[in-house]
Amino acid sequence: MAEERQITAGEAAVGDKGESRHGGPERGAEDPARVWEALVATARRTVADGLVVGTSGNVSARVGDLVLVTPTGVPYDRLTADDITGVDLTGRQVLGTLVPTSELPLHLAVYRTTGARAVVHTHAVHATAVSTLVPELPAVHYMAGALGGAVRVAPYATYGTEELAENMLRALAGRSGCLLRNHGTVTYGDTLDQAYDRTAQLEWMCRLWLTASSVPGLTPSLLTEAQLAEAGARLKGYGQRR
């Protein structure tokens, strides 16, 4: 029986004939080494922007059937190109020697059930605060439409468990972001930038609602489902065409 060996970053995305494992042409933008560099930059940004403290969050990106993910317990400013860490969709480690994040079940659940190419998980302060107060973020701003509608709060479960991943998936149904009760945020997107921007917007909306709802004697006005749906439709066409 041939000895099993660990695949390299190049082999993970590209076959012997320069084709992806899905049979498509090689794409430089999906070179694992480049994606890892962008992933580390995104992880560092979550710290710089105050969305996580220390190593409390995690980031991942999918390249074919390979999921690159931040390792557990390693400060992001210490990660280098040599620390690339990857698993397949079953969670089996196929790249690197550092142990993947303890929240791996959460990330894999998103990739198995959606077309996500990137996932960002944080412990953002305002979003986590909101997760302890309500079952759903009140529709205080139309940017909720960019996440698919009113942002739900997934019931609490111990971190790193399949139970948490299942609770998250229910909260994500029809959405690209949700809150985890007494825990934090999860967002996903087609790119690392999109997933990160959705996290930042979610944290901002949570801060907005907390601020507005703290004014004595006044209650924030909220948008209707129809208004959120209309905003979401318009936001799909927002920005420059490429």
Side-chain angles (χ1 to χ4, degrees):
M1 183 175 179
E3 181 180 356
E4 183 179 356
R5 69 183 180 86
Q6 192 174 61
I7 64 175
T8 66
E11 291 171 327
V14 183
D16 293 337
K17 296 181 180 181
E19 294 182 343
S20 74
R21 288 177 177 264
H22 296 292
E26 178 181 358
R27 291 190 295 169
E30 288 204 342
D31 169 43
R34 293 184 182 179
V35 175
W36 176 253
E37 181 180 358
L39 185 153
V40 171
T42 300
R44 290 173 178 168
R45 189 178 176 190
T46 65
V47 176
D49 290 352
L51 299 177
V52 304
V53 176
T55 60
S56 61
N58 27 79
V59 179
S60 67
R62 181 173 178 176
V63 183
D65 291 334
L66 173 69
V67 175
L68 301 177
V69 63
T70 48
T72 186
V74 181
Y76 301 140
D77 60 358
R78 298 182 188 175
L79 291 175
T80 70
D82 295 332
D83 295 320
I84 188 169
T85 303
V87 302
D88 63 20
L89 292 174
T90 71
R92 180 176 67 94
Q93 187 161 359
V94 295
L95 204 59
T97 59
L98 296 177
V99 177
T101 173
S102 58
E103 293 290 10
L104 187 59
L106 182 152
H107 291 260
L108 293 179
V110 174
Y111 292 121
R112 291 173 187 149
T113 57
T114 73
R117 308 300 294 180
V119 176
V120 175
H121 166 52
T122 78
H123 293 179
V125 173
H126 298 92
T128 304
V130 170
S131 80
T132 71
L133 298 172
V134 291
E136 182 178 278
L137 172 65
V140 73
H141 196 275
Y142 68 81
M143 281 304 295
L147 298 178
V151 179
R152 307 183 188 102
V153 179
Y156 179 81
T158 304
Y159 79 92
T161 63
E162 293 293 343
E163 181 184 6
L164 176 61
E166 291 170 4
N167 290 349
M168 173 203 67
L169 286 180
R170 286 192 290 271
L172 279 177
R175 305 288 187 268
S176 55
C178 73
L179 301 177
L180 306 177
R181 188 173 300 283
N182 296 87
H183 189 153
T185 69
V186 176
T187 60
Y188 69 85
D190 295 330
T191 65
L192 283 161
D193 281 345
Q194 186 180 61
Y196 178 85
D197 288 345
R198 286 172 171 170
T199 296
Q201 286 286 353
L202 179 52
E203 167 67 355
W204 180 82
M205 285 189 291
C206 288
R207 182 179 181 184
L208 173 63
W209 179 71
L210 288 171
T211 301
S213 61
S214 68
V215 179
L218 296 176
T219 301
S221 63
L222 302 179
L223 302 177
T224 65
E225 289 186 11
Q227 288 171 328
L228 285 182
E230 181 180 6
R234 290 180 64 87
L235 286 166
K236 288 180 180 179
Y238 179 78
Q240 298 298 316
R241 303 292 190 276
R242 291 188 178 183

